[in-house]
Amino acid sequence: MRSPVLNVTRSILGQPWHWRGGAVDGIDANFEADDLVAQLLLARGCPRDGIEAHRTPTIRAFMPDPSIFRDMDRAAERLADAVQGGEKVTIFGDYDVDGATSAALLIRLLRMLGLEAGAYIPDRLMEGYGPSGEALLRIGEGGSRLIVTVDCGAQAFEALQLASDAGLEVIVVDHHKCAVALPRAFALVNPNRLDEEEGAAHGHLAAVGVAFLLGAALIRVLRQRGWFSSRAEPRLMDLLDIVALGTVADVASLRGLNRAFVAQGIKVMAGRRNIGLAALIEASRLERAPTCTDLGFALGPRINAGGRVGKSDLGVRLLTTEDRDEARTIAAELDRLNEERRAIEKLVQEQAEELADRLANRSVPVVAGTGWHPGVIGIVAGRLKEKLGRPALVIALDEAGIGKGSGRSISGVDLGAAILAAKDMGLLVAGGGHAMAAGVTVAPGGVDALADFLDDRLASDVSRARDDRALLLDAVVAPGGVTPSLVEALEAGGPYGAGWPSPRIAAGAVRVIRADVVGNGHVRTVVSGRDGRSIKTIAFRAADNALGQSLLGAGPDRTLWIAGRPKIDDWGNRPAAELHVEDAAWAD
């Protein structure tokens, strides 16, 4: 039994505080070197012999031989034939950031190789997720006999059969969970195929990461064929900015190769060589080099906005354009659409939360509403998951009662596998996903049966995951220790994101000097410690929960420990540190 940090066995949000990785006093018990970064790496599961590789992650250190993946060589050989033969090729991508970046990566690479490939991104509302037989046949009629689907296709049995019957060759590049049977494709490259062996270790890759590996395999085949004897070999590394964006935006675990993709991709992005990305950075009002957080919360949502509430192909067009004026126009449109998305999301979220409040006894709240915009239900599902601490599924019903749903899960609960099981039971028209996210199509009247199935199947997993819940800390500091230099030291253990969480510290004990509500329900405070130092804090979307109410009502006569992530506040004349509070505990 681990000793709780600061003796906090039940915080204001009802959880114990533990050291990350089971460490003692925030430091690995058997590690003697006084090295903060090494301590952060070890606490996140880095092996001792991998500290240097993880400290400065490079593609060379983590890149596998692409040939370990099933069908990879077959796909690369076929694409090489297309390049050398000047064939017409179309990249069929999903409408989210991972789909857009995957498509853009292959289009840009093929362009470097002298082949101008087309792009097809389905409309979220009119066509839905993944390739349809109608769309593939239409592409074939346009002259493309070779189609590459990216971030979709693993469950497209009927569509791929129709394409095959029509003489079309389809290469599937995906990362979503596969069934035992696979759809009929010329090649299906997916580390999450159930028959994968060595490649299964890379099941955490986003589709854009799989596309990058296919790109590497393609270049190798062409090199072996002597294709570059009279022409320059493209620099695949120049496309890592696109890979980083897709990886972070798809909330892929930042371990192994993904860690290298993001670390190196951010460096490439800082050079702003991609005209579209440079325009998007400008539209996002980022004056400094983008960080991993910016990819997830500034750039990614704007790319996504096109597929959610606008034109689905805007993201691919932005990332592949060579025209600066077009790039600025598209970036401005995506920025506008992102604001529109926020307004729509707020309305749906309010209604979904009201329904979810009535499902307190459900392990997996499933809420549905007529007229909800399908483009925001994934975001709302994520918000519900955060608020309730349980997986959540949000379903938008159309006038005919057909539901399009999106779900988000918590660590330890495989939602994607449950959705595939529901599909096998005949409870879904379509469905798929991965452990942390999934999508569904439900027939009229089928929501209640699906909700019952998910509740029964996942109840024990959810209960176990919630029982194991604890706030994991990396350090405890006095308020005066929350400084820009501390933030800088902690950031050296990054990039941080899904599967590689950013450092969390506890500070205190503190008294609340001032507290108010700002923005969309955020609680802002100024707190002071026994060392006489004060710091600014903010607890996002906390005004209506126990944490926010405690901070607002604490007053100067009670003391608390506050826990969260230290960040740089650069709004003033000189950078200062602040704490983004995620939990608190009474100290008196």
Side-chain angles (χ1 to χ4, degrees), residues 201-476:
H202 300 277
H204 62 294
L205 292 178
V208 71
V210 183
F212 181 89
L213 293 174
L214 175 58
L218 170 60
I219 290 173
R220 182 170 62 185
V221 170
L222 290 171
R223 186 187 304 127
Q224 292 169 346
R225 295 184 182 183
W227 183 249
F228 303 117
S229 59
S230 59
R231 53 179 58 81
E233 183 171 318
R235 283 179 48 83
L236 189 59
M237 297 296 182
D238 288 346
L239 301 176
L240 283 174
D241 49 1
I242 296 176
V243 181
L245 176 58
T247 298
V248 172
D250 210 53
V251 201
S253 177
L254 297 192
R255 295 182 175 274
L257 183 56
N258 280 345
R259 183 169 169 75
F261 280 154
V262 175
Q264 299 304 318
I266 288 175
K267 294 178 183 178
V268 175
M269 193 178 295
R272 303 197 181 192
R273 284 176 281 188
N274 184 299
I275 290 172
L277 268 179
L280 190 65
I281 292 169
E282 181 180 345
S284 303
R285 294 165 283 283
L286 294 174
E287 297 180 358
R288 48 171 170 73
T291 64
C292 188
T293 300
D294 295 327
L295 270 59
F297 292 95
L299 305 183
R302 285 172 169 80
I303 294 284
N304 251 337
R308 293 188 186 281
V309 297
K311 297 178 181 177
S312 60
D313 66 346
L314 285 177
V316 172
R317 287 172 51 199
L318 177 73
L319 296 174
T320 57
T321 185
E322 302 293 346
D323 184 311
R324 294 185 185 279
D325 289 336
E326 181 185 29
R328 293 191 186 97
T329 298
I330 296 174
E333 176 68 0
L334 288 172
D335 187 55
R336 184 191 68 78
L337 289 170
N338 192 48
E339 291 300 318
E340 182 180 329
R341 184 270 306 169
R342 287 176 176 169
I344 296 171
E345 173 196 328
K346 182 179 180 182
L347 177 61
V348 175
Q349 183 178 335
E350 290 173 352
Q351 295 175 358
E353 286 183 353
E354 183 178 346
L355 292 174
D357 288 342
R358 306 172 192 172
L359 302 172
N361 61 333
R362 285 281 189 176
S363 297
V364 182
V366 177
V367 297
T370 301
W372 289 354
H373 197 299
V376 302
I377 56 176
I379 301 174
V380 174
R383 299 278 192 232
L384 287 182
K385 177 205 72 171
E386 292 173 4
K387 178 180 179 181
L388 304 174
R390 290 172 285 165
L393 183 64
V394 179
I395 300 174
L397 301 173
D398 65 17
E399 294 179 355
I402 297 173
K404 298 286 187 179
S406 187
R408 297 293 183 269
S409 193
I410 61 176
S411 180
V413 181
D414 191 337
L415 182 60
I419 291 300
L420 285 182
K423 182 182 176 185
D424 290 341
M425 293 285 291
L427 298 175
L428 297 173
V429 175
H434 47 78
M436 301 301 289
V440 301
T441 300
V442 188
V447 172
D448 289 344
L450 174 63
D452 290 341
F453 175 85
L454 293 177
D455 194 50
D456 291 341
R457 181 181 176 92
L458 296 177
S460 60
D461 290 344
V462 172
S463 178
R464 184 163 50 251
R466 287 173 61 83
D467 287 344
D468 292 341
R469 184 182 60 162
L471 192 77
L472 302 181
L473 297 168
D474 292 284
V476 174

Side-chain angles (χ1 to χ4, degrees), residues 341-343 345-347 349-350 353 383 516-524 538-545:
R341 184 270 306 169
R342 287 176 176 169
E345 173 196 328
K346 182 179 180 182
L347 177 61
Q349 183 178 335
E350 290 173 352
E353 286 183 353
R383 299 278 192 232
D516 58 355
V517 178
V518 297
N520 188 23
H522 313 314
V523 176
R524 180 179 59 187
I538 188 164
F540 293 107
R541 295 184 296 276
D544 295 328
N545 67 21

